[in-house]
Amino acid sequence: MIVVAGATGDLGGRIVQELVRLNAPVVALARGGASAEELAASRADVRIVDFDDERSLTGAVAGATCVISALSGLEPVVIGAQGRLLDAAVRAGVPRFIPSDFAIDFRKLPPGTNRNLDLRKRFQARAEQADIRLTSVFNGAFMDMLTGTMPIVQHPIRRVLYWGSADQPMDFTTIADTAAFTARAAMDDTSPRALNICGGRVSARDLAEIVSKVHGRRYRVMPAGTVGSLGLVIAVAKRVAPGKAGEIYPAWQGMQYMRNLFAGEGMLDAPFDNDRYPGMRWTRVEDVLLQDARR
């Protein structure tokens, strides 16, 4: 039995759907509300749980062979709620835990360069002390962001922006592929401490060539500054537009992710683990951009 926390989110919901498709017994944890009702239609066993209630959490994960955390948020969630989930899994005797580490390899990042990933690193230090087997899935950046959330492809001027070097490789994997791989990892009792997956390792120059092919028009790379200058922009943005209290992705936080990528920080170790589970089909950057162009 696999338990998924954060099942009402995009990634967590996809993990639940994939586990159901693979005929794995799956329990989806939810706080309640309309999103929990939607989960009930997925054929998963939906359990309403209070993440602040130790007894409720422990009972919800009892009997699981693996707990997957797809929780997303700031310190109250990543350290607080996820920490209580980890403790509950240990109390219930669950043998394995997959933390919400889905990102570039934040273990390699200089401290202070990415607020959200610093939280993941803090949680990892705590989880390493727990009496449970851990498996982290590192997938690079979500490839889906290339269609707008990560605004480096500028269609109106047919340019692909970059900071530093146009040839710096960056790792991307779609949310769907990350979910499909994670579902299989949760069913794999032999999975190692860390798994690295990558749907495409591309540079800004590669992206320009791919977008040109997809749209049938020439796109060129365009320098936007140095990695250091991007760091200065982030510092200014944090002061003048810090975002709302509790906001997970204010503009400056998104810039921190871009800075990590263009600085080559957090690149995944090769060879990747893409071939670990037979039958996985990996979405390419070309596929994502082509689908976006057809909308």
Side-chain angles (χ1 to χ4, degrees), residues 41-55:
S42 70
R43 292 191 290 132
D45 177 5
V46 180
R47 296 182 183 175
I48 306 302
V49 66
D50 180 354
F51 279 86
D52 295 319
D53 186 329
E54 176 182 303
R55 192 171 184 177

Side-chain angles (χ1 to χ4, degrees), residues 87-147:
D87 293 342
V90 173
R91 282 193 301 270
V94 178
R96 299 180 54 230
F97 189 90
I98 298 178
S100 187
D101 289 345
F102 310 101
I104 58 179
D105 192 345
F106 52 76
R107 299 173 299 179
K108 303 175 180 179
L109 298 187
T113 61
N114 191 306
R115 177 197 61 179
N116 290 8
L117 296 185
D118 280 347
L119 290 172
R120 306 285 177 91
K121 192 183 297 187
R122 280 178 53 195
F123 177 79
Q124 187 179 87
R126 173 181 173 177
E128 294 283 1
Q129 305 303 313
D131 185 19
I132 196 167
R133 281 183 52 217
L134 302 172
T135 296
S136 292
V137 177
F138 296 111
N139 55 273
F142 285 127
M143 195 181 291
D144 315 65
M145 296 193 303
L146 290 173
T147 62

Side-chain angles (χ1 to χ4, degrees), residues 2 12 53 105 129 157 227 236 268 270 286 290:
I2 314 297
D53 186 329
D105 192 345
Q129 305 303 313
I157 58 174
V227 172
V236 172
L268 306 179
E286 292 92 324
L290 182 60

